[in-house]
Amino acid sequence: MSSWQGGPSWGPGDNGTPDWAALAEQSAARARRRRWLMIGGGVLATALVGAIVATAVVSTGGGTGDPGNNASKLPAPADLPEDTSAPEPSFSSVAPPPPPDPKEYISSAGKDKAPVTVDGFFPGEKLAMGDRVHIKGATGSTTDCATGTQGALGTVLENNGCEQLIRATYRKEGVAVTVGIAVFDTEARARKTVEQASGGLASLSGAGVPTFCRGGTVCRRTTNSYGRYAYFTVGGFTDGTRVTTQDKDVFAVGDDLTDFVFRQIHQRGRAQASQAAAEPGS
C-alpha cells in the first residue's frame, strides 16, 4: 500500500504523533530562503535601474557621458568661414542737422524773401473755418501804412518802420471784419508796434460791404504779432449797431480771421524753410 508524500514529514513519534521539532526547523529554513530571494531580487532591480539611467545619460550627452557625442553636431573647423575681409557697417558720428525752424524765415527780411501780396495771404473768394463760411469783400495794399489806420496807430506804424500794410474785409450774416497785416524789417519792430498800439485799423468797405465801424461807432479791435508781422482786426455790425461783449457773432468772425492770419504767416515760414532744406548744400 503506497504512502502520501506531499505533506509534512511525520517522525517516529508515539502512535504517529508529528515531530514538532523537525517541522519547526523546516519552516525556519523556508523563511530564510524567502528572505535571501527578496534581498537578491532587490539588488538586481537596483542594478538594472542604474544601468538604464546611465545608458540614458550617455545617450543624451549629459552627466558624465562622453562629450564627443555632441561634438558631431558642431561644424568642423574647416566648415567655418575664413573670409573676415568683408566690410563692417559704419555709422557716422556726426549728427544730421536739425530741420530749419519756420519761424526763422518770417522773423527778419533777411530770410523772408517771398513776395507779400493780398492774394498770397487772402486767397479765393471765401474763407471757411470749420462750418463757418465768410465772404471776402474789398481788399487793399499800401506802402503808406498810416493811410489804413485810425487814431494814433498810423504814427506807431511809421515810427517802427512799417514797410507795407495789406487789408481784407470779410462778412457773415450782418457782421463785417477788416483784417490788416503790417510788415516790418524785424520781429522786434513788430513786437514793439503791438506794445505801443493805440487807435486801430481803419475798416475797408466795398464789394458788397457797406461802410462800418466809422464815425465813432463802438466796434471790436484786436492786435497781435508773429515774426516780423503785426496784424490787427476791426469788426462790427454792417447796420452800425454798437458792439457789446454779448455780441458773440462779432467775436467769432474776428477770432476766425485772427486765427487764419496766424496760420498763413506760419505757413509762409514753413514753405520757405522747406525750400531752403531742399537746396543743395543746405
Side-chain angles (χ1 to χ4, degrees):
M1 181 177 178
S2 62
S3 64
W4 176 67
Q5 298 180 355
S9 175
W10 299 96
D14 296 338
N15 300 322
T17 301
D19 188 348
W20 298 111
L23 292 175
E25 180 62 28
Q26 292 175 5
S27 177
R30 287 194 298 271
R32 284 194 299 270
R33 283 196 299 271
R34 283 197 300 271
R35 284 198 300 270
W36 284 112
L37 287 174
M38 292 176 64
I39 293 173
V43 172
L44 179 59
T46 302
L48 290 174
V49 171
I52 293 171
V53 172
T55 301
V57 170
V58 170
S59 64
T60 57
T64 58
D66 184 2
N69 292 336
N70 280 336
S72 60
K73 300 179 182 179
L74 300 176
D79 297 332
L80 296 176
E82 296 181 356
D83 183 8
T84 59
S85 62
E88 296 182 356
S90 60
F91 302 94
S92 174
S93 60
V94 180
D101 182 1
K103 194 169 185 296
E104 292 182 6
Y105 290 83
I106 55 170
S107 295
S108 70
K111 286 191 173 183
D112 189 7
K113 301 293 187 179
V116 177
T117 64
V118 172
D119 289 338
F121 277 97
F122 306 111
E125 298 179 354
K126 298 178 181 180
L127 171 62
M129 299 292 286
D131 59 352
R132 299 179 299 279
V133 178
H134 312 292
I135 308 301
K136 187 168 73 173
T139 62
S141 176
T142 180
T143 57
D144 185 1
C145 299
T147 60
T149 66
Q150 295 185 89
L153 183 60
T155 301
V156 174
L157 294 179
E158 289 181 345
N159 290 343
N160 286 295
C162 178
E163 299 175 349
Q164 185 178 355
L165 177 67
I166 60 175
R167 290 181 294 165
T169 296
Y170 290 84
R171 60 184 173 85
K172 181 179 184 295
E173 299 174 354
V175 174
V177 176
T178 296
V179 57
I181 303 175
V183 186
F184 298 86
D185 185 58
T186 65
E187 180 181 16
R189 289 180 178 271
R191 187 183 301 114
K192 187 176 181 181
T193 296
V194 172
E195 293 171 354
Q196 298 175 346
S198 180
L201 190 70
S203 63
L204 186 63
S205 58
V209 179
T211 300
F212 68 102
C213 292
R214 295 292 183 99
T217 303
V218 177
C219 290
R220 186 199 183 209
R221 305 180 188 274
T222 67
T223 303
N224 297 277
S225 70
Y226 184 52
R228 69 185 187 111
Y229 301 90
Y231 50 102
F232 314 87
T233 66
V234 55
F237 295 104
T238 56
D239 63 1
T241 302
R242 63 180 294 166
V243 177
T244 69
T245 56
Q246 303 302 316
D247 295 316
K248 303 302 182 183
D249 291 343
V250 176
F251 282 75
V253 177
D255 290 346
D256 281 348
L257 292 178
T258 298
D259 186 31
F260 176 72
V261 168
F262 172 83
R263 295 183 186 183
Q264 290 292 87
I265 297 172
H266 184 69
Q267 178 58 34
R268 179 183 177 89
R270 289 182 59 186
Q272 295 182 91
S274 297
Q275 181 179 358
E279 292 176 355
S282 59

